[in-house]
Each structure stands twice: as C-alpha cells, then as structure tokens.
Amino acid sequence: MDYLEAESPYQKLKTRNKLIMKKITYLILIPLALLSCKEESKKEVLSEESRKPNIIYILADDLGYAELGAYGQEKIETPNIDALAKEGMLFTQHYTSAPVCAPARYMLLTGTHSGRAHIRGNEEWGERGEVWNYRAMAKDSVLEGQRPMPDSTITIAKKLKEVGYGTAMFGKWGLGAPHTNSIPTKMGFDFFYGYNCQRQAHTYYPLHLYKNENRVHLNNDTIAPNTKLAKGADINDPKSYAAYTLNDYAPDLMFNELKGFVDRNKENPFFIYWATPIPHAAIQAPQKWVDYYIEKFGDEEPYLGERGYFPHQNPRAGYAAMVSYLDENIGKLVAKLKEDGLYDNTLIIFTSDNGPTFNGGTDSPWFDSAKPFRSEYGRGKGFVYEGGIRVPMIATWPGQIKAASKTDHISAHYDVMATLADVAGYDKPSYTDGVSFLPTLLSQENQKEHDFLYWEFPEYGGQLAIRMGDWKVVKTHLKDKKNEPTLELYNLRTDIKETTNVADQHPEILEKAAKILESQHTEPSIEKFKIPNLK
C-alpha cells in the first residue's frame, strides 16, 4: 500500500510539503557543496602556486667557462653539474660583473654594474697594518677582511628576508671585515659559515673559519700561504709536500654546515648563497681525487711555488681534483634535496665569479679552461676579454625550467637582483642595473634584452669593456705608466676570440660606446678605483 494513501488529507499535504522542502534543500545544498569544494580546491591550488621556491645560488671561484663537461671540458670530470644542465638550462652568454673576486661578489649581491658600484676592485684596506701577514691576522682579527661596504648597502639577502626567506651564506665573503657592519650577518644573512677574509682563503686548511660573527678554531697548523718546500727537499717525494695537507679541510666543514641549514629550514622558503672558494689556488684537494687524476693524467712536473700559494707534486691532477670534489658535493646536495622532498621546489643556479686564473700552479691553457676563448695571463682572470669575464651558468627548477634547454640570452651577475625579485616577489631597488632573466628561464617570449653590458676595472693596468649586441669595445692600460692606452673593437659574432681589432673601421660604434661610458660612469668614492684615462 502506498504510505500517502493511508494518511489523512492533512497528513498527506504535510508529508508532501516536507518531501518538497527536502528536495528543494537538496537542490540548493548540492551546488553550494560543489561550489565549496571548488573553492577549497582553488585555495589548495593557489596555496601551492604561491609557495615561494627555495633558491640556491652556487658561485665557484675562478672556474673557467669551459671547465665543465657541459661546456666542452675534456679532461676534468663533472657529471653532477652536467646533470644539472641536462635537467635545466645552460647559458652560453652569461658574464661576471668583474674579472676578480670582491667586485664580482659585490655587484652580484647588489645588482649594480661597475660604473656605479661602491666596490670596483680588490681592496685589502691596507692602512690597518700587516694585512698580508698570515700570522699577524691569526693573532689580530682587526687585520682580517676587505674594505667594508656602506651600512646602507641593499643586498639580495636583505630583500629576500623582507618576503619571508631564511637566508644563509657558506664559503668566501670578501666584502668587509670583522668588527664592522659589513659582514654577512649584518648584510641580510641569518647564518654564515666560512671565510670572512679572501686572503685567509688562500689556504684550504686555515687556522679558523667564522660561524656567524665568531671565529671557529680548527685543528690545523700554521702553514702560511706561499710557504715553499723545505730546503733540500726531494721534489719527487710525496712526503716533501705533506705539510700542505693538514686535518680540517675547510670545504668539508662548510658543506656540512650547509646541509645542516637545509635540515633546519625545510618548512619555510630559504636562500642559500654557496660561495665556494674552489677551485681558486692554492691547489689542495682530497687525496682520493688527486690519485684518480694522477692515474688519468700520468706523470707531470711538480709545481714548486714560484707563482705563489703552495707547491704541489701533481698540480694538474690536484687542480682537476678540486673541481671534481666540488662536483661531488653538488651531487650530494641535489640528492639530499630530492630525499627531503625539496628539489622540485628549488631553483638552483650554478656559475663562477670570473674566468680561470694563471697562478698558483694552475695550467689553464693545458685544460683549455676558457674554450673557445684564450685563458693565459692577459686573457683570463683579471682581464675584461671574454676569457676573463664570460662564465658558465646553469639553472634548474623542475616543472618551471625546460630540461636540456640552452639559451644565448646575454646576461650578467648584476641581473640576479632583478631576476630573484620576479621569482620571490620582492620589490627590486630602483637603482639596479640588472634585467630579469626569469622569462628566459621559463622559456617565455617576453624577455627584455640589455642595450649594453658595462665593465670598468681599475686593476691590471686599468681597463674598460662595453658590449653592445655583437660589438665589444675594450680599452686597456688606462692606469699603466709603461704602456699607452689601447682602443679596441671586436665583433664577437665573427671574431669570438677577439683577435682582430677593427676600431679604425667603425667610428660610429666607438661613438655609441663613448655615449654609454658618459652616461654610466660615476666617480668612485675609493681612490684606488679611480681610472684617470677612462674617457
């Protein structure tokens, strides 16, 4: 029997009304529930999209353009860095902001080029006393470090802290001194472990490193940089070189601290600036890697220290060993990020501070370290020719950067401030000279191009370089009393090795460069950085 038929007319009407109201309520609530689910889903998507990526910026020291397998190196093995190139993007026309340590680091962190930068060269702040005396520095920390940056300096680390990043630096600072405000923990970094002073970094077995603002004393003897072999030592006996391999290897300690920072900061976005001193001389590397390359390269002439730093029985093997050791640690870092579930949300940028060096037993021509550019003295580190300023750069960011991609976008270290502003969402400083290369990383077509790149460099005789598209103007000997200033013009598209000066054929290009110089140069506040014959 139908239940409604057994009821009274009143009961039938009441029951029917209840059923109708249930249906109406059901019809109203289902869409609302679906809408609510969609909103929750949308919130989850937005939350996921708005998660800021971790950023790890790895700056090698004196690593040449072609000292990685991904850039054509044939003697040194770098499988882990090469793997980053396979998983990300390789830049073929990336430049340092300066061809030596301190100014390159300053311009990277501040987003300025050398026409406006406060730090334009290496300046050891010599009026303090015996700043080059290793033992004196060990006794008196006031002698450590370089000339400080102004207190008002804005760095990438400060900007990232503004938008919620935990920040840390590991490696070589070189931009200030203890007891000043120009140290990492007062320039935007929450944590620092490494060398405050770049002169201390001339040995990988120092007496101390810095943890934040305090010295951490190491279990090493006092073997000052430039210490030669003992008198009468047998140069073919490994025991003669034993004093240069001590107990606490600074790169090991710094890498362990870096991993510890990752462990402590998994839940929030972090920025790591890993300014490894490798492969800057002195040549000191883990023995397992040295032995590997001795077997690979065979016998070679010992380096006896005549070009500074420390002697080494197998200098080519030792140099290659340092690069492969760094590569090994990068592999360990990537493995850790993957194990911790952080890799997919991490932007990694790997590059170098300048081109390959010429001293301390290194042999850049033998490794063809700047291929296709020249790398001998006068063309590599310290000079504004391509071998001294064009550097490798590889970027990975799973799901954002296309794997195995390559770009010829022209960029420089001083673009990083603007790029990370777009990545992390901070307001870039109005003064920055950089152009964000994020569109290139994301394979977008709206990439803004530089009208020019600019270098003025007060060291190694005083130099200037301006790149405008394929054209590059170079001036040298601008502070050199022994040589007349030069005016050079090269077309990098047809003359990538800068061998044929065509300055007399293109006065219109020189005129354009002169106008750029006029607009970009400001007089430096530090006397040492002034270049009398710049214009």
Side-chain angles (χ1 to χ4, degrees):
M1 178 183 292
D2 191 305
Y3 176 73
L4 291 177
E5 290 181 353
E7 296 178 309
S8 67
Y10 174 78
Q11 288 294 332
K12 285 181 181 181
L13 180 60
K14 188 176 180 181
T15 301
R16 184 175 282 111
N17 287 343
K18 285 183 178 180
L19 290 172
I20 290 171
M21 289 303 299
K22 284 182 179 180
K23 287 180 181 180
I24 291 172
T25 301
Y26 179 81
L27 291 172
I28 292 172
L29 290 178
I30 289 297
L32 287 174
L34 290 172
L35 183 61
S36 176
C37 288
K38 286 182 179 179
E39 287 298 318
E40 286 300 316
S41 177
K42 185 178 179 182
K43 285 180 181 178
E44 290 177 10
V45 171
L46 287 173
S47 175
E48 192 65 29
E49 288 178 350
S50 62
R51 261 185 63 196
K52 297 180 186 296
N54 306 311
I55 302 167
I56 300 177
Y57 191 93
I58 306 171
L59 186 71
D61 196 332
D62 292 358
L63 184 79
Y65 181 78
E67 288 188 326
L68 305 173
Y71 282 83
Q73 176 57 219
E74 297 177 354
K75 293 171 179 171
I76 305 172
E77 298 174 25
T78 55
N80 295 294
I81 301 173
D82 298 345
L84 290 180
K86 292 177 182 177
E87 295 176 11
M89 178 175 286
L90 183 148
F91 282 63
T92 64
Q93 298 196 77
H94 188 66
Y95 289 90
T96 179
S97 303
V100 296
C101 290
R105 292 154 200 271
Y106 174 85
M107 295 173 218
L108 162 69
L109 289 175
T110 61
T112 53
H113 67 49
S114 50
R116 285 192 266 271
H118 180 73
I119 303 295
R120 304 187 191 188
N122 286 330
E123 220 293 283
E124 303 305 326
W125 206 10
E127 59 262 37
R128 291 173 295 169
E130 294 184 276
V131 296
W132 283 99
N133 186 321
Y134 185 73
R135 290 177 174 82
M137 283 193 292
K139 294 177 181 178
D140 184 0
S141 60
V142 171
L143 296 176
E144 285 188 84
Q146 283 61 53
R147 187 174 294 278
M149 298 182 287
D151 293 354
S152 59
T153 301
I154 299 172
T155 67
I156 289 171
K158 286 183 178 180
K159 299 303 293 184
L160 286 168
K161 277 179 65 67
E162 289 177 1
V163 292
Y165 275 76
T167 58
M169 188 206 157
F170 304 90
K172 185 171 80 174
W173 177 238
L175 289 174
H179 317 300
T180 73
N181 287 330
S182 190
I183 58 177
T185 52
K186 294 184 180 179
M187 283 292 166
F189 292 97
D190 298 319
F191 184 83
F192 168 63
Y193 190 90
Y195 297 91
N196 172 283
C197 176
Q198 62 191 28
R199 298 186 309 278
Q200 293 277 349
H202 289 180
T203 173
Y204 289 98
Y205 293 96
L207 295 175
H208 64 268
L209 294 171
Y210 275 83
K211 187 170 187 177
N212 295 323
E213 299 173 18
N214 301 307
R215 281 184 174 185
V216 176
H217 295 280
L218 307 183
N219 183 25
N220 292 325
D221 293 330
T222 306
I223 307 296
N226 305 311
T227 300
K228 301 295 190 292
L229 290 172
K231 189 175 181 179
D234 181 355
I235 66 171
N236 295 310
D237 184 352
K239 294 180 181 178
S240 298
Y241 304 85
Y244 310 116
T245 302
L246 301 173
N247 299 307
D248 289 339
Y249 189 52
D252 279 346
L253 302 176
M254 293 184 289
F255 184 65
N256 288 337
E257 289 285 348
L258 188 158
K259 291 188 296 182
F261 180 83
V262 173
D263 283 335
R264 297 191 301 272
N265 289 271
K266 294 177 182 179
E267 303 304 320
N268 298 298
F270 58 76
F271 168 60
I272 292 175
Y273 170 42
W274 183 10
T276 172
I278 291 176
H280 191 296
I283 297 174
Q284 294 171 306
Q287 194 60 41
K288 70 168 187 175
W289 279 113
V290 177
D291 291 341
Y292 177 84
Y293 281 107
I294 289 174
E295 184 176 351
K296 181 175 181 177
F297 295 161
D299 294 334
E300 55 175 307
E301 289 293 319
Y303 168 64
L304 303 182
E306 60 272 17
R307 289 183 288 123
Y309 300 94
F310 295 128
H312 199 286
Q313 188 177 8
N314 300 276
R316 291 171 177 169
Y319 184 81
M322 288 202 294
V323 177
S324 287
Y325 164 80
L326 173 61
D327 178 81
E328 178 184 23
N329 278 348
I330 289 173
K332 291 178 180 178
L333 175 59
V334 170
K336 177 173 180 54
L337 293 172
K338 290 180 177 179
E339 180 182 340
D340 293 345
L342 300 172
Y343 183 70
D344 287 347
N345 193 41
T346 300
L347 168 62
I348 300 175
I349 297 176
F350 175 90
T351 187
S352 177
D353 66 342
N354 47 248
T357 195
F358 48 82
N359 55 11
T362 62
D363 193 350
S364 296
W366 189 77
F367 288 108
D368 208 356
S369 295
K371 183 174 64 175
F373 317 110
R374 293 162 61 185
S375 59
E376 69 274 16
Y377 179 83
R379 289 286 177 154
K381 177 182 178 178
F383 295 87
V384 296
Y385 295 104
E386 293 295 289
I389 58 175
R390 197 182 297 203
V391 292
M393 190 176 88
I394 295 166
T396 62
W397 188 4
Q400 305 292 337
I401 297 175
K402 183 179 178 182
S405 54
K406 183 183 289 189
T407 178
D408 60 1
H409 171 64
I410 299 171
S411 57
H413 283 172
Y414 58 81
D415 291 332
V416 175
M417 172 71 86
T419 302
L420 296 188
D422 286 349
V423 170
Y426 61 74
D427 293 328
K428 70 178 181 181
S430 59
Y431 63 77
T432 182
D433 296 304
V435 172
S436 172
F437 52 76
L438 181 60
T440 292
L441 294 179
L442 302 181
S443 299
Q444 297 174 349
E445 296 182 357
N446 60 332
Q447 176 64 61
K448 181 181 178 182
E449 303 291 339
H450 279 281
D451 293 328
F452 58 86
L453 293 181
Y454 183 93
W455 300 265
E456 61 177 72
F457 183 53
E459 299 180 69
Y460 293 81
Q463 304 166 59
L464 172 78
I466 301 172
R467 179 167 179 181
M468 304 157 288
D470 292 331
W471 293 105
K472 183 178 173 189
V473 171
V474 175
K475 291 184 178 183
T476 65
H477 304 305
L478 300 179
K479 294 176 68 174
D480 189 343
K481 296 179 180 179
K482 296 180 180 179
N483 297 283
E484 288 294 318
T486 68
L487 176 58
E488 305 161 41
L489 177 65
Y490 303 101
N491 187 313
L492 296 179
R493 182 172 53 83
T494 59
D495 182 22
I496 198 168
K497 294 186 178 182
E498 299 166 291
T499 60
T500 305
N501 181 7
V502 294
D504 59 347
Q505 301 174 31
H506 295 279
E508 76 285 0
I509 302 298
L510 298 181
E511 183 179 354
K512 181 180 178 181
K515 290 179 180 178
I516 293 172
L517 170 59
E518 185 69 30
S519 68
Q520 299 303 306
H521 170 73
T522 61
E523 196 68 5
S525 59
I526 297 173
E527 186 66 27
K528 184 181 177 181
F529 300 155
K530 295 181 179 179
I531 307 176
N533 299 319
L534 186 65
K535 297 183 179 180

